[in-house]
Amino acid sequence: MADCLFCKIISGEIPSKKLYEDDKILAFYDISPIAPVHFLVIPKEHIQSVDAIDEKNSEIVAYIFQKIGQLAKEAGIENGYRVISNCGADAGQSVLHLHFHVIGGKELSWQA
Ligand code: AMP
Ligand code: ZN
């Protein structure tokens, strides 16, 4: 997608601090972390949000979750973490390319 920030990060047009990359996904550190460790995991295929996951593209979601535990360890998270995907306006989704926030490195509070 020409006008998508995360597609530009995937192509290298916009730099990022990479944690992991393969042919299907990219993990990179969030530019404004909300916890001591905060990285994002995204599919290389442009999918707009959780709302756009369907039977044709859902395999990548399982693949991402299969990788998250090891990536959290590699990022130095030792005592648990939270995975978040903001979907749509009320959730505050600001980049319309599916992404999973992984946050940890401290005891997290829980509020909405
Ligand atoms: P969301 O608000 O859930 O759509 O999350 C988008 C996230 O992308 C936010 O946490 C931003 O801090 C992060 N972000 C925006 N631009 C960049 C960038 N160039 N590199 C890394 N993270 C970014
Ligand atoms: Zn995109």
Side-chain angles (χ1 to χ4, degrees):
M1 274 269 289
D3 215 24
C4 169
L5 175 68
F6 286 175
C7 283
K8 288 180 180 164
I9 285 179
I10 290 162
S11 73
E13 192 182 330
I14 292 175
S16 66
K17 192 177 165 204
K18 284 180 196 171
L19 174 63
Y20 176 79
E21 180 170 23
D22 65 22
D23 56 330
K24 294 192 269 295
I25 66 170
L26 175 67
F28 57 101
Y29 288 95
D30 197 291
I31 206 164
S32 358
I34 60 164
V37 180
H38 183 176
F39 63 89
L40 304 170
V41 189
I42 66 175
K44 288 196 168 175
E45 178 190 354
H46 181 90
I47 299 170
Q48 179 150 316
S49 71
V50 168
D51 230 23
I53 297 167
D54 59 27
E55 65 278 4
K56 289 199 284 299
N57 63 22
S58 62
E59 212 173 291
I60 196 65
V61 179
Y63 184 73
I64 285 171
F65 274 80
Q66 191 189 309
K67 294 281 182 195
I68 281 177
Q70 185 59 37
L71 295 177
K73 275 196 197 77
E74 279 168 28
I77 297 177
E78 290 178 340
N79 207 30
Y81 54 86
R82 185 169 293 151
V83 183
I84 300 167
S85 191
N86 294 316
C87 178
D90 275 2
Q93 184 180 4
S94 61
V95 179
L96 299 183
H97 181 126
L98 180 65
H99 53 283
F100 297 92
H101 297 257
V102 180
I103 58 173
K106 69 167 187 180
E107 189 175 344
L108 302 164
S109 62
W110 181 248
Q111 58 184 49

Coordinates of all heavy atoms in Angstrom, one line a residue, residues 10 18-28 41-45 60 63-64 66-68 71:
I10 N 8.3 -1.6 6.1 CA 8.7 -3.0 5.6 C 9.6 -2.8 4.4 O 10.6 -3.5 4.2 CB 7.4 -3.7 5.2 CG1 6.6 -4.1 6.4 CG2 7.7 -4.9 4.3 CD1 5.1 -4.5 6.2
K18 N 14.8 -2.8 14.1 CA 14.3 -4.1 13.9 C 14.6 -5.1 15.0 O 15.8 -5.1 15.5 CB 14.8 -4.7 12.6 CG 14.1 -4.1 11.4 CD 14.6 -4.7 10.1 CE 14.2 -3.9 8.9 NZ 14.8 -4.2 7.6
L19 N 13.7 -5.9 15.4 CA 13.9 -7.0 16.4 C 14.0 -8.3 15.6 O 14.8 -9.2 16.0 CB 12.8 -7.0 17.4 CG 12.7 -8.1 18.4 CD1 14.0 -8.1 19.3 CD2 11.5 -8.0 19.3
Y20 N 13.1 -8.5 14.6 CA 13.1 -9.7 13.9 C 12.4 -9.5 12.5 O 11.5 -8.7 12.4 CB 12.2 -10.8 14.7 CG 12.0 -12.0 13.9 CD1 13.0 -13.0 13.9 CD2 10.8 -12.3 13.2 CE1 12.8 -14.2 13.2 CE2 10.6 -13.5 12.5 CZ 11.6 -14.4 12.5 OH 11.4 -15.6 11.8
E21 N 12.9 -10.2 11.5 CA 12.3 -10.1 10.2 C 12.4 -11.5 9.5 O 13.5 -12.2 9.6 CB 13.0 -9.1 9.4 CG 12.4 -8.9 8.0 CD 12.9 -7.7 7.2 OE1 14.0 -7.2 7.6 OE2 12.2 -7.2 6.3
D22 N 11.4 -11.9 8.8 CA 11.5 -13.0 7.9 C 10.6 -12.7 6.7 O 10.2 -11.5 6.5 CB 11.1 -14.4 8.6 CG 9.7 -14.5 9.1 OD1 8.8 -13.7 8.5 OD2 9.4 -15.3 10.0
D23 N 10.3 -13.7 5.9 CA 9.6 -13.4 4.6 C 8.1 -13.0 4.9 O 7.5 -12.4 4.0 CB 9.7 -14.5 3.6 CG 9.2 -15.9 4.2 OD1 9.3 -16.0 5.5 OD2 8.6 -16.7 3.5
K24 N 7.6 -13.3 6.1 CA 6.2 -13.1 6.3 C 5.9 -11.9 7.3 O 4.8 -11.3 7.2 CB 5.5 -14.3 6.9 CG 5.5 -15.5 5.9 CD 4.7 -16.6 6.4 CE 5.4 -17.7 7.2 NZ 6.4 -18.4 6.4
I25 N 6.8 -11.7 8.3 CA 6.5 -10.7 9.3 C 7.7 -9.8 9.6 O 8.9 -10.2 9.3 CB 6.0 -11.4 10.6 CG1 7.1 -12.2 11.3 CG2 4.8 -12.2 10.4 CD1 6.8 -12.8 12.7
L26 N 7.5 -8.7 10.3 CA 8.5 -7.8 10.8 C 8.2 -7.5 12.2 O 7.0 -7.2 12.5 CB 8.6 -6.6 9.9 CG 9.5 -5.5 10.3 CD1 11.0 -5.9 10.2 CD2 9.3 -4.2 9.5
A27 N 9.2 -7.5 13.1 CA 9.0 -7.0 14.5 C 10.0 -5.8 14.7 O 11.2 -6.0 14.3 CB 9.2 -8.1 15.5
F28 N 9.5 -4.7 15.2 CA 10.4 -3.6 15.4 C 9.9 -2.8 16.6 O 8.7 -2.9 17.0 CB 10.4 -2.7 14.1 CG 9.0 -2.1 13.7 CD1 8.6 -0.9 14.0 CD2 8.2 -3.0 13.0 CE1 7.4 -0.4 13.6 CE2 6.9 -2.5 12.6 CZ 6.5 -1.2 12.9
V41 N 4.6 -6.2 16.1 CA 4.8 -7.3 15.2 C 3.7 -7.1 14.1 O 2.5 -6.9 14.4 CB 4.6 -8.6 15.9 CG1 5.0 -9.7 14.9 CG2 5.4 -8.7 17.1
I42 N 4.2 -7.1 12.9 CA 3.2 -6.8 11.7 C 3.4 -7.8 10.6 O 4.5 -8.4 10.4 CB 3.4 -5.4 11.2 CG1 4.8 -5.2 10.5 CG2 3.3 -4.3 12.2 CD1 5.0 -3.9 9.8
P43 N 2.3 -8.1 9.9 CA 2.5 -9.0 8.7 C 3.0 -8.1 7.6 O 2.8 -6.9 7.5 CB 1.0 -9.4 8.4 CG 0.2 -8.3 9.0 CD 0.9 -7.7 10.2
K44 N 3.8 -8.7 6.7 CA 4.3 -8.0 5.5 C 3.1 -7.7 4.6 O 3.2 -6.7 3.8 CB 5.4 -8.7 4.9 CG 6.7 -8.7 5.7 CD 8.0 -9.0 5.0 CE 9.2 -8.6 5.8 NZ 10.4 -9.1 5.2
E45 N 2.2 -8.6 4.6 CA 1.0 -8.3 3.8 C 0.2 -7.2 4.4 O 0.0 -7.2 5.6 CB 0.1 -9.6 3.7 CG -1.2 -9.5 2.9 CD -2.1 -10.7 3.1 OE1 -1.7 -11.6 3.7 OE2 -3.3 -10.6 2.6
I60 N -1.7 -15.8 9.0 CA -0.5 -15.0 9.4 C -0.7 -14.6 10.9 O 0.3 -14.4 11.6 CB -0.4 -13.7 8.5 CG1 1.0 -13.1 8.7 CG2 -1.5 -12.8 8.7 CD1 2.1 -13.9 8.3
Y63 N 0.7 -17.4 12.9 CA 2.1 -17.4 12.7 C 2.8 -16.3 13.6 O 3.8 -16.5 14.3 CB 2.5 -17.1 11.2 CG 4.0 -17.1 11.0 CD1 4.6 -18.4 10.9 CD2 4.7 -16.0 10.7 CE1 6.0 -18.4 10.7 CE2 6.0 -16.0 10.5 CZ 6.7 -17.2 10.5 OH 8.1 -17.3 10.2
I64 N 2.1 -15.1 13.7 CA 2.6 -14.0 14.5 C 2.6 -14.5 16.0 O 3.6 -14.3 16.7 CB 1.8 -12.7 14.3 CG1 2.2 -12.1 13.0 CG2 2.0 -11.7 15.5 CD1 1.4 -10.9 12.5
Q66 N 2.7 -17.4 17.2 CA 3.7 -18.5 17.3 C 5.0 -17.9 17.6 O 5.8 -18.5 18.3 CB 3.7 -19.3 16.0 CG 4.4 -20.6 16.0 CD 4.4 -21.1 14.6 OE1 3.4 -21.1 13.9 NE2 5.6 -21.4 14.1
K67 N 5.3 -16.7 17.1 CA 6.6 -16.1 17.2 C 6.8 -15.2 18.4 O 7.9 -14.9 18.9 CB 6.9 -15.2 16.0 CG 7.1 -16.0 14.7 CD 8.5 -16.6 14.6 CE 8.6 -17.3 13.3 NZ 9.8 -18.2 13.3
I68 N 5.7 -14.7 19.0 CA 5.7 -13.6 20.0 C 6.5 -14.0 21.2 O 7.3 -13.2 21.7 CB 4.3 -13.1 20.3 CG1 3.8 -12.1 19.2 CG2 4.2 -12.4 21.6 CD1 2.4 -11.6 19.3
L71 N 10.2 -13.8 20.7 CA 10.6 -12.4 20.5 C 10.6 -11.6 21.8 O 11.5 -10.8 22.1 CB 9.7 -11.7 19.5 CG 9.7 -12.3 18.0 CD1 8.7 -11.6 17.1 CD2 11.1 -12.2 17.5

